[in-house]
């Protein structure tokens, strides 16, 4: 069974530029999560989708971050414009049902904002 | 405001001995607790969990203990193996999965 795919794996941008990350969850998984992991900290949940609807986006900085999940499958997370403090690893995870112990994580995208 | 704390950034143990990783939380509404393991350049993987109605859960070499009155949980790995070397995250959520929070992690090194 293929795991959660993410691309790109690494991205370096200048501050004020825009960036987008892509996630392809495990086939059939209805729930999709995006996390931000800053160096030395645990992952922080940014947004949770159930199919293509948003369940929780309370910690998403909506002035610059946006996410969508078209057709309830793939998802993109966008930052526009990026700030220095956005440097982090962005993790995508999916689960068959909305239960955290059944999340499968992708390898993450490491973003460096200069 | 850190709701889930792992006060030891790192821990080293000898192969074959017991590893004990600790986690403290502040939110009394947390009802479900999980441990994840993370290798470099990979995403976290779920290890073991416990709900607040239990004080112990065991899965092979891994045991999680929960002390609700102290708002403290611990993960015991017995015996420790070099392949257990990784970062371990404690996480917690409400009864219905709300307010899901990770701790900052503890890096475990198991020395051969």
């Amino acid at each position: 069974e293929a795991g959660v795919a993410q691309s790109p794996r690494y991205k370096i941008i200048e501050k004020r530029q825009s960036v987008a990350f892509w996630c392809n969850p495990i086939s059939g998984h209805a729930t999709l999560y995006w996390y931000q992991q800053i160096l030395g900290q645990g992952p922080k949940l940014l947004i949770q989708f159930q199919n293509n609807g948003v369940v929780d986006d309370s910690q998403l900085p909506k002035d610059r971050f946006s996410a969508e999940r078209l057709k309830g499958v793939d998802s993109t997370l966008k930052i526009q414009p990026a700030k220095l403090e956005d440097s982090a690893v962005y993790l995508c995870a999916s689960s068959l049902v909305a239960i955290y112990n059944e999340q499968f994580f992708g390898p993450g995208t490491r973003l460096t904002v200069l | 405001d850190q709701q889930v704390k792992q006060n030891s950034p790192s821990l080293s143990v000898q192969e074959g001995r017991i590893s004990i990783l600790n986690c403290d939380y502040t939110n009394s509404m947390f009802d479900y607790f999980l441990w994840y393991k993370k290798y470099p350049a990979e995403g976290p993987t779920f290890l073991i969990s416990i709900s607040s109605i239990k004080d112990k859960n065991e899965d092979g070499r891994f045991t999680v203990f929960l002390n609700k009155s102290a708002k403290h949980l611990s993960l015991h790995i017995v015996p420790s193996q070099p392949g257990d070397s990784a970062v371990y995250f404690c996480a917690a959520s409400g009864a219905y999965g709300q307010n899901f929070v990770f701790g900052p992690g503890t890096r475990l090194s198991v020395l051969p």
Side-chain angles (χ1 to χ4, degrees):
Chain A
E1 179 183 79
V4 175
Q6 290 188 248
S7 68
R9 292 296 309 274
Y10 304 92
K11 189 74 177 178
I12 300 173
I13 61 172
E14 302 275 334
K15 61 183 178 183
R16 291 187 289 273
Q17 285 187 320
S18 301
V19 64
F21 312 125
W22 174 81
C23 174
N24 181 231
I26 292 173
S27 178
H29 280 195
T31 310
L32 186 145
Y33 316 78
W34 281 103
Y35 291 86
Q36 179 193 58
Q37 185 181 9
I38 293 172
L39 188 64
Q41 299 181 20
K44 181 179 83 171
L45 180 66
L46 292 176
I47 189 168
Q48 177 182 343
F49 291 94
Q50 182 70 23
N51 295 308
N52 59 349
V54 175
V55 172
D56 181 2
D57 64 356
S58 56
Q59 298 197 88
L60 187 74
K62 299 179 185 65
D63 57 334
R64 298 184 301 106
F65 285 64
S66 64
E68 60 181 6
R69 189 180 184 197
L70 298 174
K71 301 179 182 177
V73 182
D74 292 8
S75 177
T76 56
L77 176 69
K78 296 179 182 176
I79 308 175
Q80 182 178 8
K83 293 185 176 181
L84 296 176
E85 58 261 36
D86 298 332
S87 294
V89 174
Y90 291 84
L91 294 161
C92 177
S94 71
S95 60
L96 192 60
V97 292
I99 301 176
Y100 290 114
N101 65 341
E102 295 190 8
Q103 289 182 99
F104 291 85
F105 282 83
T109 296
R110 180 176 296 278
L111 173 67
T112 302
V113 182
L114 303 176
Chain B
D1 176 30
Q2 258 191 350
Q3 299 186 67
V4 177
K5 303 175 185 180
Q6 294 177 259
N7 292 322
S8 298
S10 62
L11 174 69
S12 292
V13 298
Q14 212 66 36
E15 182 180 3
R17 305 293 290 268
I18 183 171
S19 294
I20 300 176
L21 295 97
N22 293 305
C23 177
D24 297 288
Y25 60 96
T26 58
N27 189 340
S28 57
M29 300 302 290
F30 284 143
D31 209 52
Y32 190 65
F33 305 90
L34 309 91
W35 285 94
Y36 289 80
K37 176 178 176 179
K38 185 182 183 302
Y39 293 118
E42 296 182 12
T45 54
F46 168 72
L47 196 55
I48 192 169
S49 63
I50 188 167
S51 77
S52 60
I53 62 172
K54 300 178 75 173
D55 55 16
K56 177 183 174 181
N57 190 24
E58 199 169 348
D59 184 2
R61 297 186 297 113
F62 302 91
T63 303
V64 56
F65 296 92
L66 175 63
N67 182 334
K68 277 198 74 177
S69 60
K71 294 191 178 69
H72 176 84
L73 62 154
S74 61
L75 174 69
H76 291 211
I77 306 173
V78 184
S80 301
Q81 299 173 354
D84 296 329
S85 297
V87 177
Y88 289 79
F89 292 101
C90 174
S93 75
Y96 302 103
Q98 70 276 27
N99 194 25
F100 183 66
V101 179
F102 275 93
T106 295
R107 182 178 301 277
L108 173 67
S109 299
V110 180
L111 308 173

